[in-house]
């Protein structure tokens, strides 16, 4: 009851101190001194910033300026090289059309020439026919005159041949020339005649010049509406001036090229919007540094100064009780509820998964002291930036001194509470949650001296990298605008991690002396052969000492293989039978000669055997052995049956029950204690059976039977060992015992060679052992 009362008192005190630290922390900060100031009126006091605070007005101005700068940003232009393919196809189409026009023109011209020749032949025939008719008439007239006839009686002379309007030759229009007007290029009559009558190789040359000029200009940037700009036309002329000496070819190529150019430089809307969003977010979040003047006496109070003073709580005035209820009381009630729920969850975790802390006053007191100490340091440093807070001392010390899983749960709770004390942020939560978990996991290596420096460097590197990673994640590329500040912050975080390891490892002897906790140094001291109890075992009970060494080796090997605390198992193996110092000669390993139990009643012998556990606990208390060692001493026999004395008593009295010959103690409550129990049973049994074993191979079967008997007897119910763990323990015991009791090679005996007596005498004379006569 006294222990429970003290535990409840510590929990209540921790709860009250936690609530007090949160209420007086930065999250619920209130200022006592207020001023009656108004915007636009002069100030009657000079006020300085008591700490670093955000400047919302300047920040908003910077944000608006960044927004305007983003709107004024030039759009991102991108050249579409696929436009040239379209231009090239159009040019090819034009020259195909020109070639078709030339072919059609030549065909039409040849047809017209044929028609003109046919008309000329017809016209000549008609004229010749009329002239022939006239000659015939003239001959008839002449003959008629010679005969004296009356000429007037003759028919009129045929008239000359005259063409009617329908018979006159009309030059037909060539339809191929009309197709020039259908093209998007305007060719003059000179250009058309040149294109129609130019040789084929000249047309090919014109195509090459036109393609090259268009490619030279089109592959450069042409914005929309810039196709006929002076810059583009000048580029076309410059190229043609350099490559085309013929003026008419120059004009035709220029006309074709500039008519077919297309814009290829367009606005990249997505890239432009991304850059504008970056510009919008790229503004300085202004702060007012600690000690910076906010307003001077006699100075007009600006809106910015008023907002800063309002943030600090310096603006006074009568407050409505409803405002006070809404702004203070309700948040405090919510905070108390959250802390109460958090404490309840932690207490339930301890009751369910770590009940030893609630029953062990020293561990509960140590946890309370560590929590209050770190909580106080966080409250004192609440105005500092988050990398300076000593929160990580708590998870590392709890991991090393108590338990890693408890450390993770308690650290998460402390970080959550610290969030309200320091008015934390998302970087604070991410940094300390991740760091605390990693430090709890890395703390297991602090038990090895050669790895402490490595742990320090790893924690330092983790803190540095984690700080930068959080900055890059939350602020994205804006980190690059103030990279130096973030590097300095990461450097402080790394120093914090290094100091955490140094302080925790360096303070371990203090916690060991004050609370009796087991540290790596304490474990080394307990395994030192010069330790008083171990020294007594070597002198007063050497057989027990040798047995303890073997049990320690077996228990350590098994604990290591199943992932338990191998150091604790070894120490427990050393001291589990220390109680045999009271009556060492009543135990088999120390008996040299007659067995004293042959002259005692079985019940008395059982009492003597049982007493070694009780006396071992007495010695452990006198020599201040750690609690886990005392637990192993109490549990290493559990409620096992002393079979030898029980069978002996049963032979004398069949009514005897097992309860009188069972150890009246606790079965193993931890995996380490179970390993010591099994190692103790196996080592004693195998040592006793070695003389009767035909081969070392029988060890494996004996070990399996002994472990299964303990399991079937219910001795391992609370040990947290699984069936798989038991298989691993058996394999570990087999490996160690086979190596300890391996069969040795019988060395052949050397027979001495016969020696000639004369040679022997000469040898003795040489050595001076026999005087030469």
């Amino acid at each position: 009851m006294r222990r429970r009362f003290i535990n409840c008192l510590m929990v209540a005190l921790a709860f009250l101190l936690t609530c007090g630290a949160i209420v007086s922390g930065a999250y619920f900060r209130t200022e006592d001194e207020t001023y009656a100031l108004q915007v636009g009126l002069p100030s009657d006091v000079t006020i300085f910033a008591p700490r670093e605070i955000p400047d919302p007005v300047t920040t908003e101005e910077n944000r608006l300026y960044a927004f305007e700068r983003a709107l004024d940003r030039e759009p991102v232009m991108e050249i579409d090289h696929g436009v040239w393919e379209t231009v090239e196809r159009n040019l090819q189409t034009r020259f195909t059309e020109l070639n078709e026009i030339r072919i059609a023109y030549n065909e039409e011209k040849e047809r017209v020439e044929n028609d003109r020749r046919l008309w000329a032949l017809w016209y000549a025939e008609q004229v010749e026919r009329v002239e022939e008719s006239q000659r015939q008439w003239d001959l008839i007239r002449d003959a008629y005159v010679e005969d004296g006839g009356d000429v007037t009686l003759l028919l009129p002379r045929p008239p000359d041949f005259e063409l009617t309007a329908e018979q006159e030759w009309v030059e037909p229009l060539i339809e191929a020339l009309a197709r020039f007007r259908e093209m998007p290029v305007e060719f003059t009559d000179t250009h058309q005649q040149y294109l129609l009558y130019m040789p084929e190789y000249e047309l090919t040359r014109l195509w090459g010049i036109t393609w090259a000029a268009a490619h030279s200009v089109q592959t450069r940037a042409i914005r929309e509406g810039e196709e006929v700009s002076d810059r583009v036309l000048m580029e076309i002329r410059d190229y043609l001036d350099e490559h085309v000496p013929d003026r008419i070819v120059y004009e035709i190529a220029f006309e074709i090229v500039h008519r077919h150019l297309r814009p290829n430089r367009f606005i990249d809307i997505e890239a432009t919007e991304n850059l504008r969003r970056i510009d919008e977010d790229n503004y300085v979040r202004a702060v007012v540094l600690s000690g910076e003047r906010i307003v001077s006496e006699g100075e007009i109070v600006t809106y910015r100064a008023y907002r800063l003073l309002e943030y600090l709580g310096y603006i006074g005035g009568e407050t409505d009780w409803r405002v006070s209820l809404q702004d203070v009381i309700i948040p405090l009630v919510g905070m108390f509820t959250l802390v109460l729920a958090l404490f309840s969850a932690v207490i339930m975790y301890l009751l369910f998964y770590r009940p030893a802390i609630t029953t062990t006053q020293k561990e509960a007191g140590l946890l309370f002291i560590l929590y209050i100490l770190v909580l106080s340091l966080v409250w004192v440093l609440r105005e500092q930036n988050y990398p300076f807070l000593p929160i990580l001392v708590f998870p590392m010390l709890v991991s090393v001194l108590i338990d890693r899983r408890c450390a993770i749960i308690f650290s998460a709770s402390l970080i959550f509470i610290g969030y309200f004390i320091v008015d934390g942020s998302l970087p604070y939560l991410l940094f300390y949650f991740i760091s605390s978990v990693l430090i709890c996991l890395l703390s297991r290596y602090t038990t090895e001296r050669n790895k402490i420096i490595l742990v320090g460097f790893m924690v330092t590197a983790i803190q540095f990298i984690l700080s930068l990673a959080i900055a890059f994640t939350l602020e994205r590329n804006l980190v690059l605008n103030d990279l130096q500040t973030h590097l300095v912050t990461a450097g402080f975080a790394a120093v914090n991690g290094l100091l955490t390891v140094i302080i925790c490892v360096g303070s371990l002897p203090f916690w060991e002396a004050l609370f009796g906790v087991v540290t790596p140094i304490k474990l080394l001291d307990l395994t030192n052969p010069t330790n008083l109890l171990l020294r007594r075992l070597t002198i007063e009970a050497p057989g027990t000492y040798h047995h303890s060494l073997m049990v320690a080796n077996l228990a350590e090997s098994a604990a290591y293989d199943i992932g338990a605390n191998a150091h604790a198992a070894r120490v427990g193996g050393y001291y589990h039978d220390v109680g045999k110092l009271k009556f060492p000669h009543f135990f088999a390993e120390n008996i040299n000669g007659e067995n004293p139990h042959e002259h005692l009643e079985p019940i008395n012998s059982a009492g003597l055997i049982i007493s070694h556990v009780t006396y071992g606990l007495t010695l452990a208390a006198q020599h201040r052995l750690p609690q886990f060692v005392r637990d192993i001493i109490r549990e290493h026999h559990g409620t096992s049956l002393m079979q030898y004395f029980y069978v002996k008593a049963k032979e004398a009295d069949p009514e005897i029950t097992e309860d009188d010959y069972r150890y009246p103690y606790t079965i193993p409550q931890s995996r380490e204690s179970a390993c010591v129990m099994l190692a103790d049973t196996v080592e004693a049994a195998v040592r006793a059976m070695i003389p009767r074993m035909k081969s070392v191979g029988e060890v494996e079967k004996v070990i399996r039977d002994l472990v299964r008997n303990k399991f079937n007897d219910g001795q391992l119910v609370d040990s947290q060992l699984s069936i798989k763990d038991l298989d691993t323990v058996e394999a570990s015991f087999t490996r160690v015992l086979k190596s300890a009791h391996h069969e040795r090679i019988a060395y052949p005996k050397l027979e001495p060679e016969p020696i000639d007596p004369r040679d022997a005498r000469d040898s003795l004379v040489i050595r001076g052992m026999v005087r030469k006569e």
Side-chain angles (χ1 to χ4, degrees), residues 198-213:
M198 67 190 308
E200 189 68 28
Y201 71 88
E202 283 291 339
L203 182 63
T204 303
R205 176 171 169 268
L206 176 62
W207 157 250
I209 293 172
T210 305
W211 184 93

Side-chain angles (χ1 to χ4, degrees), residues 456-467:
F457 283 120
M458 288 182 65
V459 171
T460 302
I462 287 172
Q463 299 289 85
F464 183 84
I465 296 172
L466 189 59
S467 178

Side-chain angles (χ1 to χ4, degrees), residues 737-750:
L737 288 174
K738 278 187 176 181
S739 63
H741 300 288
H742 63 275
E743 298 179 357
R744 300 183 179 275
I745 300 173
Y747 291 94
K749 185 177 181 180
L750 295 176

Side-chain angles (χ1 to χ4, degrees), residues 163 211 259 313 334 419 489 520 700 772:
L163 295 174
W211 184 93
R259 295 285 184 178
Y419 176 85
T489 302
E700 185 174 358
K772 184 176 182 182

Side-chain angles (χ1 to χ4, degrees), residues 375 378 389 391 413-424 428:
L375 183 71
V378 172
L389 300 176
I391 295 178
S413 304
L414 179 61
I415 292 167
F416 180 77
I417 291 169
Y419 176 85
F420 293 100
I421 296 177
V422 303
D423 193 11
Y428 162 87

